Amino acid sequence: MLRKNLRLLAIAFSEEDEKFLYSEITNIHVYKSINNLSDMRSAVWGSDWDVILFNHDKSFLDYCTVLNVLKESGKDIPFIIYSDVSDEDTVLSALYSGVHDYVHKGNAFYLIHAIEREIRNAGIRQTKAKADDQISYLAFHDVLTNLPNCSLFSDKASAMLSRLVESDAIAAMYLVDFDRLPYINSIYGSSVGDRLIQQFSQRLSAFSNENCLLTRIEGCKFAFINANVIDAESVQDFANRIIKLAISPVAIDNLVFYLRLNIGICVYPANGENIARLLANAESTLSNTRYLWKNTCTYYTKEIEVAAIKRSVLEISLRSAIEKNELLLHYQPIVDLQSGALSGVEALVRWNHPEFGLLLPEKFIPLAQEIGLIIDIGRWVLQQACRQAKLWHQTGYGSLSISVNISAIEFDQIELVNSISQVLAETGISSGLLELEISESTLMRDAETSTQILQALKDMNIKIAMDNFGTGYSSLRYLKHFSIDILKIDRSLTHDIIIDPDSSEIIAAIIAMAKNLDLSVLATGIETKEQFDFLHHLRCDRAQGFLFSKPMIAQDMLHLLTQRKTGTLA
Ligand code: C2E
Ligand code: MG
């Protein structure tokens, strides 16, 4: 059935052909008969047609000319020859040239079918072309901001730099990041975070032009390569202009956000001769400013370069650290404050680096998180810690709990639950003795996923501790929301409890609140007898710190456990 209101353009049709058309095709809405080239050209360019019929028997032009006009117009209109001549050679060469169909005159049934089919095919082609356009746009643009993505940015920026080589000019790479996105995502949801990124991107876009290219790297981190700069002063001027953008707050619905930026800057060609190097060096510079968040900019220096080289050496060696047996665990006792007994241990990973010696986690865990190795390291730690705990249990310390730190990336994987149940099955330790320590900021990042994973772990009877409590943004509401068993108060809070009345009041309030919520409290960083007495008095459940013991190797721990049989640690 032919579509209603068919828009049909007929070329070189005789009166007899037209009569035939009208008698057979009743739903023609617009019909135009053309008899010369310029009318044909303006008809194709000027109006939309569903189909073009061409009678080439006595035509003023050949079908190749019509096909060329169609090609030039960029329109995909079904083009059908309607002709008396239908020998095989003519038909085949027309079809090879791009004519969609060839219909012998007077065959109304075939003509109607050919029109129907070719309109349908053109529709399919157009939908596919749109999808292809969309796909190629998405391949080179950031969906959230519509900015060129890193790959397109790098191509354009490289072309820009190669133009600069001839003129000996400079350019500056600016990596711009602002601090509050994880917090905003966790408190207001990622849709608010996304809109913040969009608004910030619009502000930055005001500076982009042919010689100043902008892209979004990830989250709220953007990069500019600016070839409009000529000297140190103009490099700094541009940074100042970006910083000024942060002064006016961003409003989303009725929320108002104040931005705090950091900018890492490096200059072409002095600090890097290609885009990848400049981006990497700007990144090392930016990571040096990570804790400043003062609307400030930092320039790439030799020291940053040395640190970046050390980092890349670490990165390469970290990849083989597990298989080379370079990782080890230290264990720190956890003491029951009321009985003084050693109730458990926390496993803390170390890396025995062949060149740099024994490295503490702060030197390599952030790197492992960045390069994704934390999944393997986390699994190794869990396996080792559970195996070790099982040995202690078998030696007669059957109620000793084992605490393992879980980082944000591990916690994002639902796979974590399978991995833990495998380790439990393999080592045979009781799940009730395993305590997983998850930092406050990790739990708050994606409250919805956190709740699901926590529930799955709870169903396995594993204890969950919120680690580093007091360093993030937790509210009481969230503490209730997550099914947490233990609150681990960060040592930055316990540090001043004796000398600072505010700190002692905060700790007293936290312990009281935790009791109300039926949470067990573990205070960390206990270094003095005074801190111990204070916490004991507040009926804090457990404690950990250098007062009792520093982290130690498994053998020393066994020694301590043996000693404990004749006394307590406290
Ligand atoms: P954390 O979970 O808060 O671990 C406690 C850290 O505090 C340990 O540092 C420990 O040595 C230190 N500490 C304990 N008592 C005291 C004290 O009385 N005074 C002082 N000044 N410090 C004390 P460490 O071993 O350097 O670990 C640092 C962080 O590295 C850990 O903090 C944890 O977040 C992370 N980490 C350690 N092992 C692992 C691991 O296997 N996986 C993951 N994902 N993270 C780990
Ligand atoms: Mg911990």
Side-chain angles (χ1 to χ4, degrees):
M1 182 55 191
L2 270 177
R3 57 178 291 178
K4 275 188 186 160
N5 303 332
L6 187 75
R7 294 163 302 180
L8 189 149
L9 176 65
I11 302 171
F13 267 44
S14 65
E15 256 178 52
E16 194 187 329
D17 296 332
E18 284 182 28
K19 260 191 215 150
F20 172 78
L21 265 189
Y22 272 114
S23 64
E24 296 300 332
I25 307 177
T26 49
N27 41 4
I28 298 178
H29 170 60
V30 182
Y31 163 81
K32 191 160 186 161
S33 182
I34 296 286
N35 279 307
N36 66 64
L37 180 58
S38 75
D39 280 0
M40 192 269 286
R41 199 183 287 278
S42 45
V44 169
W45 281 80
S47 311
D48 287 331
W49 302 102
D50 295 314
V51 64
I52 298 176
L53 296 186
F54 176 59
N55 175 6
H56 78 138
D57 299 346
K58 298 180 193 95
S59 173
F60 51 95
L61 39 80
D62 62 31
Y63 59 77
C64 291
T65 313
V66 186
L67 279 172
N68 281 340
V69 172
L70 262 176
K71 212 174 181 181
E72 283 161 21
S73 74
K75 295 182 176 178
D76 180 5
I77 307 168
F79 178 46
I80 297 170
I81 292 183
Y82 180 68
S83 168
D84 258 339
V85 184
S86 56
D87 62 281
E88 201 176 326
D89 282 352
T90 316
V91 172
L92 282 180
S93 66
L95 293 176
Y96 276 130
S97 310
V99 169
H100 291 110
D101 206 349
Y102 201 110
V103 180
H104 192 80
K105 263 192 189 167
N107 189 343
F109 176 78
Y110 192 89
L111 178 66
I112 289 169
H113 271 272
I115 293 176
E116 252 175 15
R117 186 192 61 241
E118 290 311 322
I119 289 178
R120 202 169 47 242
N121 286 348
I124 294 169
R125 282 196 300 275
Q126 279 153 18
T127 312
K128 188 174 170 300
K130 262 193 207 151
D132 287 348
D133 285 351
Q134 185 79 3
I135 289 167
S136 66
Y137 182 84
L138 291 178
F140 294 106
H141 290 84
D142 171 34
V143 187
L144 192 61
T145 59
N146 283 327
L147 289 175
N149 65 10
C150 290
S151 142
L152 182 59
F153 170 83
S154 294
D155 288 351
K156 286 186 165 182
S158 301
M160 192 167 92
L161 292 190
S162 50
R163 289 196 297 275
L164 295 185
V165 175
E166 292 140 30
S167 57
D168 256 356
I170 63 162
M173 175 72 82
Y174 300 80
L175 212 55
V176 186
D177 197 7
F178 84 78
D179 67 331
R180 301 185 66 211
L181 192 64
Y183 165 72
I184 289 164
N185 281 339
S186 64
I187 301 293
Y188 302 104
S190 55
S191 69
V192 172
D194 285 352
R195 285 162 66 196
L196 195 72
I197 293 172
Q198 285 166 334
Q199 288 208 25
F200 189 59
S201 148
Q202 277 164 17
R203 287 188 189 185
L204 290 175
S205 297
F207 294 146
S208 73
N209 56 43
E210 209 183 323
N211 290 321
C212 183
L213 310 175
L214 173 65
T215 188
R216 183 167 76 105
I217 304 287
E218 60 178 7
C220 210
K221 192 192 288 175
F222 293 82
F224 269 115
I225 176 92
N226 186 359
N228 293 318
V229 292
I230 48 168
D231 53 16
E233 201 182 338
S234 56
V235 171
Q236 180 63 46
D237 275 353
F238 189 73
N240 294 344
R241 287 170 68 199
I242 299 174
I243 289 170
K244 268 196 190 148
L245 291 182
I247 292 173
S248 48
V250 175
I252 293 171
D253 300 333
N254 38 19
L255 301 166
V256 176
F257 298 102
Y258 288 86
L259 308 178
R260 287 183 311 178
L261 306 174
N262 280 339
I263 309 176
I265 305 174
C266 60
V267 175
Y268 167 86
N271 307 143
E273 296 205 332
N274 57 50
I275 292 301
R277 193 68 262 147
L278 288 166
L279 271 173
N281 290 349
E283 181 70 63
S284 326
T285 313
L286 188 68
S287 55
N288 264 28
T289 67
R290 194 127 290 162
Y291 302 104
L292 295 173
W293 299 121
K294 276 185 190 156
N295 287 338
T296 185
C297 61
T298 309
Y299 285 86
Y300 185 68
T301 60
K302 200 76 201 156
E303 290 76 54
I304 293 175
E305 187 182 347
V306 171
I309 292 170
K310 187 170 175 191
R311 184 193 179 281
S312 81
V313 171
L314 275 185
E315 180 177 336
I316 293 165
S317 42
L318 187 56
R319 291 192 187 278
S320 57
I322 297 181
E323 84 200 37
K324 286 189 177 158
N325 240 347
E326 291 169 358
L327 295 184
L328 66 149
L329 292 184
H330 279 185
Y331 299 90
Q332 188 177 31
I334 295 171
V335 173
D336 183 313
L337 274 183
Q338 300 315 314
S339 68
L342 199 163
S343 66
V345 293
E346 177 176 5
L348 295 157
V349 69
R350 272 92 182 94
W351 179 14
N352 206 351
H353 192 278
E355 195 182 331
F356 306 125
L358 193 72
L359 299 180
L360 288 176
E362 62 181 30
K363 297 278 183 218
F364 63 93
I365 290 287
L367 175 64
Q369 287 171 336
E370 234 173 88
I371 60 177
L373 261 184
I374 191 67
I375 307 283
D376 295 337
I377 294 182
R379 197 182 155 83
W380 181 88
V381 169
L382 188 74
Q383 222 161 25
Q384 288 300 113
C386 290
R387 278 183 196 159
Q388 185 57 60
K390 183 70 188 173
L391 287 178
W392 287 324
H393 294 164
Q394 285 167 342
T395 325
Y397 306 98
S399 60
L400 199 72
S401 64
I402 178 85
S403 303
V404 175
N405 292 283
I406 302 288
S407 69
I409 300 172
E410 291 171 85
F411 196 68
D412 271 352
Q413 328 266 321
I414 195 77
E415 191 39 42
L416 175 75
V417 178
N418 297 335
S419 164
I420 292 174
S421 58
Q422 264 173 27
V423 172
L424 285 177
E426 181 198 316
T427 57
I429 75 157
S430 150
S431 58
L433 292 174
L434 177 61
E435 295 183 2
L436 296 181
E437 299 192 359
I438 300 157
S439 79
E440 184 183 24
S441 50
T442 305
L443 282 175
M444 299 294 292
R445 249 172 24 151
D446 181 355
E448 205 47 50
T449 321
S450 297
T451 321
Q452 282 172 21
I453 297 184
L454 283 178
Q455 195 50 53
L457 296 172
K458 286 235 67 148
D459 292 345
M460 291 160 70
N461 195 30
I462 290 166
K463 301 266 182 320
I464 308 293
M466 184 187 265
D467 207 357
N468 313 112
F469 181 77
T471 53
Y473 308 101
S474 292
S475 64
L476 292 176
R477 186 161 64 94
Y478 273 93
L479 279 184
K480 246 195 119 47
H481 180 69
F482 297 122
S483 27
I484 292 160
D485 308 283
I486 303 148
L487 208 60
K488 232 180 143 173
I489 302 176
D490 194 71
R491 66 174 188 270
S492 57
L493 278 185
T494 51
H495 188 258
D496 296 335
I497 45 178
I498 302 306
I499 45 168
D500 175 13
D502 283 349
S503 290
S504 48
E505 273 172 33
I506 290 171
I507 296 284
I510 291 175
I511 294 175
M513 169 201 82
K515 299 257 169 222
N516 267 338
L517 293 172
D518 217 13
L519 297 173
S520 151
V521 186
L522 202 170
T524 67
I526 308 310
E527 295 180 353
T528 66
K529 179 80 171 58
E530 288 77 14
Q531 284 171 312
F532 169 82
D533 289 340
F534 179 80
L535 292 162
H536 184 257
H537 173 72
L538 289 176
R539 306 200 63 75
C540 175
D541 301 295
R542 291 185 295 167
Q544 183 180 348
F546 293 170
L547 175 68
F548 312 111
S549 167
K550 288 197 169 178
M552 62 184 87
I553 56 168
Q555 247 174 332
D556 293 347
M557 189 66 206
L558 184 62
H559 190 62
L560 192 79
L561 284 165
T562 324
Q563 275 182 339
R564 177 208 152 226
K565 278 205 164 159
T566 52
T568 63
L569 268 181

